[in-house]
Amino acid sequence: MCGVLGLVGHQPVNQSLYDGLQMLQHRGQDAAGIVTAEGNIFHMHKGKGMVRDVFRTRNMRELTGNAGIAHVRYPTAGNAGSSAESQPFYVSSPFGIVLAHNGNLTNTDELYENVCNKHLRHINTRSDSEVLLNVFAHELRREVSGSAGNILSVDNIFNAVSELHKRVRGAYGVVALIAGYGMVAFRDPYGIRPLTLGTQTDENGKISYAVASESVAFNSLAFDLERDIAPGEAVFVTFEGEFFSRQCAENPKLSPCLFEYVYFARPDSVIDGVSVYQARLNMGVTLAEKVKQELPIDDIDVVMPVPDTSRPSAMELAHHLGKPYREGLIKNRYIGRTFIMPGQATRKKSVRQKLSPMECEFKGKSVLLVDDSIVRGTTSREIVEMVRSSGARKVYFASAAPEVRFPNVYGIDMPTREELIANGRSVSEIAREISADGCVFQNLDELEQVIRQLNPDIDGFDASCFSGCYLTGNIDENYLQRLSAGRLSAVITHQPTGKVESGIQISNEIDDDE
C-alpha cells in the first residue's frame, strides 16, 4: 500500500507537501519522495525511510515552487525495495513528467514489453509504477504528435488517460505533474484504490487544489474535502489554478477495496463518502451477532482490542455483548505497522516489541481479543501466546474481517496463498494454529452491507482477498502460480544517484540538517 498527494497552490507548497505526507505515513514506511515544479524545472528529493528521516532542512529549501506531488511507499512482496524504486518517477519526454502511483498493475509484463520493445522507451526498474508512467507518456506523445507546435491541450491530457485506461489493468490512484502545464490525477475504472479532491480558498478568492489518497491529509493543511475522484475520472489543474475534469473510462464502476475500511485507512478519513470510523463501529455490531452464535458468551469476562485499528469495532462489540471493555495491550508507537514490514522474520520479531501486555488485566480472566483481520497469523499467534503467559484463563479471537484466503493483486502485500493462515483451513483449524480457544470471523456479505449502508451509491467492492473474485478479469490460476513463485515480484535495482538530468534536479541521498 502507498500514499499519494498532489498540490497546486499560489504559494510555495513544500511545507504543505511534507505535512500532508506525514498524515499519510501509515500507508507506507519504507520510502518517501517529493517533487515540486517551478516553471519548467522539477525539484526532487526521495529516499528510503520515514518522512521525518528522508527530508532535512536543506532538502526542503531546494523544493521550491507552487505545485508538487509526494509519495510514501512500502516494499512490495518479497523484497525490501531500494532507493531506485522510491517515487515519484520521472521521464523527460514528452515535456517532462513526474508521477506517483498507489496500487498495483496486473498486466505489468505485457505493458513492459510493449513500452520497451515496441515504443522504445527506457525503464530503469521493473516497478509497475514506472511502467505506468511510460504508458502515460507514450499516450501523451501520440496525442500531441499531430498538433501544431506540439502544444498540449486539456483534451490531449484526458484523451491520453482514456487510452491508458484501455491498456492498463489493475488498481491505480495517480498524481502527476507535466512540466510547464499542471497537475493531472486519475483513478482506475473500478475505483479500487482511493483518491480524494480537496480545495482551499484564500482571502483573495484564489482556489488551491489538492489530491490525496485519503481525506485525512487535508486536515493538517486546512483544505476542505470536496469529493472523491470518481472511478475512471481524471482531473487536471493548470499551474495557474484552472480546474478541469472528465470521465475517461467507458464503463466505470465504483468498487472500492474493502481492506481500506477494515485496516489500511485512518479512522478519521472519509473514503468514497464513507466515514472509516463509523464503518468500523458498525463492523463491531455485526461481529457481536456472530460472536453470540459461535462462542460461549457466558464464558467471556472481558473484551479487548488489538490496538489500534480494531479499537472502534471492539468497543461496539463489547457494548452489544454487555461485556466490560478493557485495554490490556499497550502499543509502542515507535514501531511500524507489522503487516507492511518486509520479511516474515522481521515481522515476527517486531510483534513483541510493538505490544506489551498488562498482566493485571489478564490474570484469571477469559478474554475475547478483537482484531481488524487475521492475514498471515504471525501477529495473532504471538499475541495469544503473550496473553496466555500473562495469566489469561482462556483466549478467544474475533476478526472484524472475513477469512483472508486469497492473494490480493491490487496493491496489498498478500503475495501468496501459502502465506495466508486461512488458506485451506477451517475456522476451528485457524483457532488451533493461533493457539486460541475459539475464533470468529465477520461474514463477507455483512461486511459489504455495513459499507453500503453508509453509501448506497457504491456499486460493489474489491473483496478478492476474501472471495477470490478479481474485478479486472485477467487473474487466473496461472497468474496466481506465477505470483507464488515470485516471478512477478522480481525487481531490477541500481545504486542511487545524485545527478542532475534533463532539467530535473534529483537527490536520492538523505542529507543532514544544516
Side-chain angles (χ1 to χ4, degrees), residues 211-384:
V211 173
S213 292
E214 292 183 35
S215 63
V216 69
F218 302 149
N219 297 348
S220 66
L221 306 180
F223 272 68
D224 296 319
L225 172 63
E226 287 294 317
R227 60 180 177 87
D228 296 276
I229 292 177
E233 182 187 15
V235 301
F236 176 67
V237 185
T238 69
F239 289 145
E240 291 74 35
E242 295 180 278
F243 178 86
F244 305 88
S245 68
R246 179 190 297 177
Q247 177 53 253
C248 296
E250 293 179 351
N251 297 296
K253 180 180 180 181
L254 180 57
S255 302
C257 174
L258 274 178
F259 227 74
E260 290 282 354
Y261 301 102
V262 168
Y263 174 78
F264 275 110
R266 274 182 45 152
D268 43 347
S269 285
V270 177
I271 295 178
D272 289 314
V274 174
S275 162
V276 175
Y277 181 75
Q278 187 62 55
R280 290 175 184 169
L281 288 174
N282 295 356
M283 289 175 202
V285 176
T286 55
L287 185 59
E289 294 304 313
K290 188 82 177 291
V291 168
K292 289 178 182 178
Q293 298 171 16
E294 300 189 3
L295 292 182
I297 300 301
D298 293 339
D299 192 41
I300 296 174
D301 298 319
V302 64
V303 175
M304 293 187 185
V306 177
D308 284 322
T309 317
S310 64
R311 189 171 280 122
S313 296
M315 286 191 298
E316 281 299 289
L317 185 148
H319 174 73
H320 280 264
L321 292 184
K323 298 292 182 178
Y325 170 88
R326 292 289 186 270
E327 299 266 352
L329 296 168
I330 305 304
K331 183 178 180 181
N332 181 348
R333 301 186 182 278
Y334 299 97
I335 299 294
R337 302 180 87 172
T338 56
F339 181 77
I340 58 177
M341 284 186 173
Q344 190 76 348
T346 302
R347 186 178 294 109
K348 185 173 181 178
K349 178 182 177 182
S350 71
V351 173
R352 290 185 179 269
Q353 296 173 334
K354 177 181 177 180
L355 296 175
S356 177
M358 292 191 294
E359 291 189 7
C360 62
E361 290 293 340
F362 295 107
K363 195 169 183 178
K365 296 178 182 179
S366 179
V367 180
L368 174 59
L369 296 175
V370 181
D371 207 350
D372 51 76
S373 59
I374 304 177
V375 182
R376 294 171 177 88
T378 305
T379 300
S380 304
R381 187 181 303 112
E382 290 280 305
I383 291 171
V384 171

Side-chain angles (χ1 to χ4, degrees), residues 393-458:
R393 178 170 55 86
K394 287 188 178 179
V395 183
Y396 299 102
F397 212 103
S399 168
E403 301 95 310
V404 177
R405 298 189 182 277
F406 302 92
N408 184 288
V409 299
Y410 298 127
I412 298 176
D413 186 15
M414 298 177 191
T416 66
R417 282 170 290 191
E418 292 76 14
E419 290 187 73
L420 305 175
I421 194 171
N423 177 52
R425 292 187 177 95
S426 66
V427 173
S428 59
E429 289 171 334
I430 295 171
R432 285 196 296 271
E433 284 292 320
I434 67 172
S435 302
D437 292 290
C439 254
V440 174
F441 289 88
Q442 186 89 259
N443 288 333
L444 177 56
D445 56 348
E446 291 179 350
L447 176 59
E448 292 181 345
Q449 187 63 19
V450 162
I451 309 300
R452 190 175 278 112
Q453 284 176 345
L454 297 173
N455 182 4
D457 293 332
I458 292 178

Side-chain angles (χ1 to χ4, degrees), residues 89 108 111-113 115-116 120-135 492:
F89 283 112
T108 305
L111 294 171
Y112 183 89
E113 291 300 319
V115 166
C116 293
L120 302 181
R121 302 188 71 89
H122 174 68
I123 296 178
N124 210 39
T125 72
R126 287 303 294 264
S127 167
D128 63 338
S129 301
E130 190 178 10
V131 173
L132 182 63
L133 167 60
N134 277 272
V135 171
I492 301 171

